[in-house]
Amino acid sequence: MDRRILAVALTSLSLSAVSAMAAEGSARDAHAAPRQVRSAYFGDLHLHTSLSLDAFIYDTRTTPEEAYRYAQGEPVSYFGREVRRRAPLDFLAVTDHSEFLGVLPLLTRPDGPYADSIWQRMASSCDPGVLRELFMKLNKEHPAQFLTPSLVRSQWQRLIDAAEANYHPGKFTTFVAYEWSSTPDRQNLHRNVIFRGPKFPERPFSSIDSEHPEDLWSYLERQRALGIEVLAIPHNSNLSNGLMFANADSYGRPISRAYAERRARNEREVEITQTKGTSETTPEISPTDEFADFELYRYLLGADTRGKIDGSYVRQGFGRGLEIASRVGVNPFKLGVVGGTDFHSGLSSTEEANFPGGHGRIDNAQHPEAALSAKLTGVGKPLLFAASGLTGVWAERNTRESIFAALMRRETFATSGDRIQVRLFAGWNLPADLGSRSGWVSEAYARGVPMGGDLRPPPVGAVSPRFLVWALKDPDSGNLDRIQIVKVWVDHGVSHEHVFDVTWSGNRKPDPKTGTVPPVGSTVNLQDASFTNDIGAAQLETEWTDPDFDPALPAVYYARVLAIPTPRWSTYLAARNHLPLPADVPATIQERAWTSPVFYSPHP
Amino acid sequence: MSKRLIRDPVVRFLALGAAIFWITHLLHHSSQNTAQRIVVDAAQVRRLSQLYQAQTGAAPSQVEIDHLVDDYIHDEVLYREALRLGLDQNDDIVRRRLVQKIEFLNSDLAAAAPPSETELRRYYSAHAAEFAAPAAVTFSHIYFAPDLRGEVSARQAALDALRALQTQPNPAQRQVGDPFPLQRTYAELSAGEVAQVFGHTPFVAALFAAPVGQWWGPIRSGYGWHLVFVSHRVEQRIREFENIKAQVAAAAAEELRRRADERGYAEMEARYFVVREYAAQVRR
């Protein structure tokens, strides 16, 4: 009797990812819904291999092919040790720096075209000082011999070939991509450039071509005119010294409507978390947000000087985008969120308990003293690097087309490395009991908008928008503590923020004055770096209405999911090597997920 | 007179001495000459030209060739002087460079011969299990949520439900248990795929050990307690050589390369006797 029911239900199953159909959902329900039910897929859109100049200088020798193998759960050799991801990823984009892409591996070949040259001698040096000198020399002098069209094209083709060879539609998706690494005066303006395929450009546009994002957009627009779909994803706004979400363009002119339109067209996502820090917010920007101090990296690239906070964090960027929109009519920062690792190891390794290090010899876990050091290296302070993050997408299938479409409509979320799933819907007439109905996901799509979408002005009679938010823990990690909704809005041209605790585990009572829910507690044993799931919840879900809604004021709403405290990678590393716990970072972290916002505008 | 002179032992001795002196002088002189010779032949010029072309994209003119040769001679003089002074000794950069060179040389040698069909078949027979299609399971499950019931009660509820299912095998199953946010049924998942959905938990092994065609449990996943109904399970299946030839070839070539690397190193290592003096110091 079960056979036939099974056969119907099984037709839509995705094997490589968790299908997130609602409890009783079958293939038939899914197809009957106005939009196909989408599943969560997890991946990384930001990773470097030995083809990146800096990664090679850190002694990383991992190839793009090995990077794709590791992401699929296969073992790869890293500094002579076999390493392996426990939970494979569903997709990966290798994003090597376009500047001198693949040049160093070529330089060091004794039988290559640079045999016996001064370049080869420098590149083969084991003296970090000489390697640093080589790095500076290339970046300062831009030697024409390493920028010839044939050399650039051949190395770019290597990236394309590796992505094509490892693309298994339905099982594992790769993207042809690269990183545009504009860093004027150590201020990070980097963008990852992701191509949908199947057509790709002849060569990347690098920061040697131009350091201005506006020129990168011109390149992207030219590609689109040729039928090549592409988008740029900025990252490390935290290292931008205030430039990423400045009120001005890269020439210092106030943001115009034309600029806002171009930026919104070319950049629909921003990377909110990665190894060199989480860029959501800081305690200075959000003094009442008790979870704002999370994996912050406050120094400029490879420097000991702190960057400007103002203009450097995404939450503030959301508010500033609304402010600028109220002046010029278009929101330049209408961004969804993604997470990436930015590791320079070729290994997308976000598992805290299984972290081999992310920057070659600089933070190699085989040398725990170095990895646990807070001293400044060429790239930064190893101890402060996070084992973060991942991108979650809500997509119909695990294919380039489906995932790229999710990026374009911003139906994405970021996590600090755990595979936490989170859904967010907003609407004017979501039923109060929607979350407990079977097949609620299809209904939520039909009656509301998902993360990344636009909430239209209220229909007659509606007072305040309703939100449905749901989260499921990573089955390999800690339970969930709470879900919050972060609201950012603009009143008289000035932005404000508020964080609401909307649902939480256990029987905790919110503070009657502030509404803040007390901490979930901790089960972590620091001696052996272990924890239990005796606190927290596997799943959280609630419906929420904004108590302070004013239909005249533009606003964005996004959800933040917090897990219970678990050991940070540095705690696992210290415990395993019987070393003291490092003092400069917390021993435990609350892994988390951030959704893309829902955007409310009073104007239709 | 001359004959007598020749027979004179003193003269003979002197002549012999002069001859020896002259020969050694000649020998010495000629060896010094070789040491100081720097020969730039056509092959060397060709090499320099090719290097120039690879780096600049254009062939060198005659004037540029002369410069290249002059530079080469200049460097060669310094290089030989450096060798004469032993500057290549105890230098980490030189050491690393030579190590790189011999590693490249070894792996090039190892990569030379692709495995033959016979070798491939032999490799396949020895590693058939590694190429096998993994065991897979098709199952339904009923979820008991610790979030709603608490850990102990969720497990107890699962046990109670199991007893009910066993005594009354055809109930309305959907009334039992708690809503599960993902799927209630899964088809042909490998152990790795089950772990991806339910966590690297006891759930995985239990699912592959559970009896087929009956409700079983409770077993713990990363989310809570479950009863499972395995409707179908296929064991690991050996795949035919013909169907996976390319895969076998890639793995065999990799294996051959690795073995050759190891063998090459072992041969070289055998020429050395390693003395670990630090150990004694540490013990003291």
Side-chain angles (χ1 to χ4, degrees):
Chain A
M1 64 105 211
D2 267 334
R3 274 277 163 83
R4 194 166 304 158
I5 300 168
L6 272 181
V8 173
L10 297 183
T11 48
S12 72
L13 298 186
S14 141
L15 297 186
S16 65
V18 180
S19 170
M21 289 160 54
E24 302 297 306
S26 72
R28 234 167 239 175
D29 295 338
H31 291 156
R35 278 173 259 195
Q36 199 179 343
V37 170
R38 295 170 178 139
S39 303
Y41 297 95
F42 290 96
D44 183 359
L45 297 172
H46 193 175
L47 180 68
H48 296 273
T49 73
S50 57
L51 298 198
S52 287
L53 180 58
D54 48 359
F56 193 93
I57 278 174
Y58 312 150
D59 285 347
T60 289
R61 293 295 178 268
T62 322
T63 63
E65 290 79 5
E66 288 172 317
Y68 287 123
R69 286 220 304 272
Y70 179 85
Q72 291 172 81
E74 290 172 39
V76 162
S77 172
Y78 186 61
F79 287 89
R81 189 170 64 107
E82 191 180 279
V83 291
R84 187 171 200 161
R85 231 193 118 83
R86 208 163 171 224
L89 297 179
D90 297 313
F91 61 92
L92 173 67
V94 168
T95 52
D96 279 310
H97 293 293
S98 53
E99 297 75 18
F100 304 106
L101 176 70
V103 164
L104 283 204
L106 210 60
L107 273 186
T108 45
R109 281 198 71 90
D111 53 351
Y114 302 98
D116 300 332
S117 67
I118 171 77
W119 297 105
Q120 184 178 41
R121 267 172 269 162
M122 290 183 85
S124 305
S125 176
C126 53
D127 178 348
V130 174
L131 290 170
R132 206 158 42 239
E133 198 186 319
L134 173 65
F135 182 83
M136 306 298 277
K137 197 171 159 69
L138 285 170
N139 280 314
K140 216 169 104 191
E141 297 174 10
H142 295 165
Q145 55 174 311
F146 302 126
L147 300 169
T148 62
S150 66
L151 177 58
V152 171
R153 267 208 292 275
S154 71
Q155 294 308 308
W156 175 235
Q157 191 62 43
R158 274 213 60 188
L159 276 188
I160 295 178
D161 291 347
E164 296 286 60
N166 287 282
Y167 179 33
H168 308 299
K171 289 199 75 167
F172 182 73
T173 294
T174 61
F175 285 101
V176 173
Y178 75 91
E179 179 172 345
W180 177 78
S181 326
S182 169
T183 321
D185 300 325
R186 289 187 186 269
Q187 304 168 113
N188 178 87
L189 292 180
H190 296 187
R191 264 84 172 167
N192 283 314
V193 179
I194 315 278
F195 295 94
R196 186 190 66 178
K199 280 176 74 182
F200 306 108
E202 280 205 340
R203 48 158 291 184
F205 180 87
S206 78
S207 67
I208 298 171
D209 296 312
S210 169
E211 287 196 323
H212 292 281
E214 292 89 335
D215 295 333
L216 174 69
W217 302 336
S218 298
Y219 163 81
L220 302 184
E221 285 156 5
R222 282 198 302 279
Q223 300 312 317
R224 279 191 213 104
L226 296 170
I228 297 172
E229 284 307 315
V230 59
L231 88 163
I233 304 179
H235 67 83
N236 282 119
S237 56
N238 61 330
L239 308 179
S240 74
N241 203 29
L243 292 187
M244 196 63 86
F245 301 113
N247 279 306
D249 67 13
S250 76
Y251 299 90
R253 299 173 301 215
I255 286 182
S256 65
R257 184 184 175 98
Y259 174 97
E261 279 172 348
R262 287 191 84 197
R263 182 148 174 178
R265 184 164 60 240
N266 287 291
E267 300 182 356
R268 301 175 70 92
E269 299 272 8
V270 62
E271 188 187 280
I272 198 172
T273 183
Q274 64 135 273
T275 185
K276 289 193 287 292
T278 287
S279 294
E280 184 197 8
T281 188
T282 74
E284 293 86 348
I285 295 172
S286 310
T288 58
D289 180 351
E290 71 269 39
F291 300 104
D293 189 3
F294 177 72
E295 295 289 355
L296 297 178
Y297 196 95
R298 294 165 170 278
Y299 304 91
L300 295 180
L301 270 180
D304 231 340
T305 42
R306 288 179 172 231
K308 250 171 69 183
I309 292 171
D310 185 57
S312 296
Y313 288 84
V314 172
R315 189 185 292 175
Q316 196 197 21
F318 287 149
R320 189 162 283 175
L322 298 178
E323 291 170 11
I324 295 171
S326 70
R327 293 200 296 270
V328 306
V330 176
N331 181 352
F333 310 137
K334 195 173 174 184
L335 298 161
V337 297
V338 298
T341 61
D342 195 10
F343 288 140
H344 284 58
S345 57
L347 311 175
S348 182
S349 48
T350 54
E351 296 158 323
E352 304 283 337
N354 181 25
F355 183 54
H359 300 84
R361 67 161 189 283
I362 286 166
D363 59 355
N364 184 354
Q366 292 177 65
H367 303 289
E369 287 91 349
L372 296 173
S373 159
K375 281 217 303 246
L376 183 68
T377 67
V379 54
K381 298 167 186 267
L383 178 63
L384 305 191
F385 297 152
S388 182
L390 291 179
T391 296
V393 299
W394 290 109
E396 292 82 2
R397 297 181 58 219
N398 187 356
T399 63
R400 284 177 177 170
E401 295 73 24
S402 197
I403 293 173
F404 193 87
L407 295 171
M408 289 303 282
R409 64 173 186 270
R410 310 178 196 94
E411 201 179 343
T412 60
F413 54 99
T415 84
S416 54
D418 272 13
R419 291 176 300 139
I420 298 169
Q421 300 189 37
V422 52
R423 289 187 185 273
L424 173 70
F425 292 93
W428 297 106
N429 51 7
L430 298 180
D433 66 337
L434 179 56
S436 54
R437 295 185 186 180
S438 73
W440 66 263
V441 174
S442 300
E443 205 175 337
Y445 272 111
R447 306 178 73 153
V449 293
M451 60 182 73
D454 290 299
L455 184 64
R456 303 285 168 207
V460 181
V463 177
S464 185
R466 292 184 66 78
F467 293 83
L468 195 162
V469 58
W470 166 90
L472 183 67
K473 67 168 288 195
D474 179 337
D476 279 322
S477 191
N479 276 348
L480 304 179
D481 164 13
R482 69 185 74 195
I483 303 181
Q484 304 175 303
I485 288 191
V486 182
K487 178 188 179 186
V488 181
W489 72 98
V490 170
D491 192 359
H492 293 91
V494 181
S495 58
H496 307 271
E497 63 165 72
H498 198 288
V499 182
F500 299 90
D501 286 326
V502 297
T503 182
W504 51 90
S505 69
N507 298 318
R508 288 173 280 164
K509 296 277 170 284
D511 183 303
K513 267 199 206 131
T514 62
T516 302
V517 173
V520 69
S522 175
T523 62
V524 174
N525 175 342
L526 293 177
Q527 257 60 54
D528 62 357
S530 65
F531 70 95
T532 69
N533 276 318
D534 298 338
I535 57 172
Q539 188 182 186
L540 291 172
E541 185 272 326
T542 196
E543 274 118 325
W544 178 77
T545 305
D546 178 0
D548 312 315
F549 183 72
D550 181 341
L553 305 180
V556 307
Y557 298 86
Y558 67 93
R560 184 171 69 184
V561 185
L562 297 174
I564 63 169
T566 46
R568 192 178 186 266
W569 67 265
S570 42
T571 303
Y572 284 108
L573 192 61
R576 282 171 193 165
N577 291 283
H578 310 289
L579 291 168
L581 280 175
D584 300 326
V585 290
T588 66
I589 53 172
Q590 287 189 266
E591 300 273 0
R592 58 196 66 196
W594 303 264
T595 71
S596 292
V598 166
F599 301 88
Y600 170 72
S601 167
H603 315 291
Chain B
M1 168 77 183
S2 64
K3 273 187 185 171
R4 214 185 304 142
L5 260 181
I6 291 167
R7 269 190 227 112
D8 186 341
V10 176
V11 174
R12 276 192 178 184
F13 176 77
L14 284 174
L16 191 65
I20 289 171
F21 175 76
W22 184 68
I23 287 167
T24 47
H25 174 77
L26 265 189
L27 280 176
H28 184 65
H29 192 76
S30 85
S31 78
Q32 259 188 357
N33 242 356
T34 318
Q36 290 171 353
R37 259 160 72 106
I38 292 177
V39 180
V40 185
D41 58 12
Q44 184 61 43
V45 172
R46 212 162 33 245
R47 223 169 74 79
L48 290 171
S49 303
Q50 278 165 0
L51 190 60
Y52 178 88
Q53 188 157 4
Q55 291 178 8
T56 64
S61 67
Q62 188 54 52
V63 178
E64 283 159 341
I65 289 178
D66 291 342
H67 282 308
L68 290 175
V69 171
D70 288 347
D71 285 351
Y72 173 78
I73 292 167
H74 175 260
D75 280 1
E76 189 66 15
V77 167
L78 293 183
Y79 170 63
R80 293 200 197 176
E81 282 301 297
L83 282 185
R84 201 173 60 78
L85 297 173
L87 298 185
D88 55 328
Q89 305 295 310
N90 299 322
D91 181 313
D92 278 344
I93 297 176
V94 173
R95 185 167 178 267
R96 175 152 154 163
R97 190 84 195 97
L98 293 177
V99 169
Q100 272 180 355
K101 272 192 147 165
I102 200 159
E103 277 177 350
F104 268 105
L105 200 68
N106 277 352
S107 58
D108 277 2
L109 287 177
S116 68
E117 173 90 11
T118 325
E119 279 174 313
L120 281 189
R121 284 185 180 278
R122 199 181 309 135
Y123 183 83
Y124 167 77
S125 328
H127 297 87
E130 289 164 35
F131 297 109
V137 61
T138 297
F139 65 97
S140 308
H141 70 104
I142 303 172
Y143 178 54
F144 298 86
D147 287 358
L148 302 175
R149 303 168 187 263
E151 184 73 21
V152 175
S153 307
R155 186 174 183 279
Q156 189 55 48
L159 273 173
D160 295 346
L162 180 65
R163 246 172 255 127
L165 285 165
Q166 280 165 344
T167 52
Q168 190 195 357
N170 205 6
Q173 284 153 27
R174 280 152 199 270
Q175 311 309 318
V176 183
D178 301 318
F180 185 66
L182 307 176
Q183 296 166 198
R184 287 190 70 142
T185 53
Y186 287 91
E188 292 182 25
L189 297 196
S190 68
E193 288 162 341
V194 173
Q196 189 77 350
V197 180
F198 291 92
H200 293 75
T201 52
F203 188 90
V204 185
L207 195 59
F208 280 85
V212 173
Q214 67 183 77
W215 284 101
W216 179 259
I219 58 180
R220 185 70 164 86
S221 78
Y223 305 114
W225 291 97
H226 306 256
L227 298 179
V228 294
F229 185 96
V230 174
S231 55
H232 189 59
R233 195 162 55 216
V234 287
E235 301 309 318
Q236 174 179 303
R237 284 145 297 160
I238 300 298
R239 292 190 286 180
E240 292 305 316
F241 175 73
E242 263 65 28
N243 298 336
I244 49 166
K245 207 166 156 183
Q247 217 180 314
V248 175
E254 179 61 36
E255 168 83 2
L256 280 179
R257 196 160 34 240
R258 198 175 51 78
R259 283 234 209 104
D261 275 357
E262 285 169 8
R263 205 166 43 236
Y265 177 74
E267 278 169 20
M268 289 189 278
E269 197 195 20
R271 293 181 209 133
Y272 296 87
F273 178 70
V274 180
V275 185
R276 296 177 189 259
E277 286 189 333
Y278 67 88
Q281 286 168 4
V282 170
R283 249 177 254 128
R284 237 184 282 137

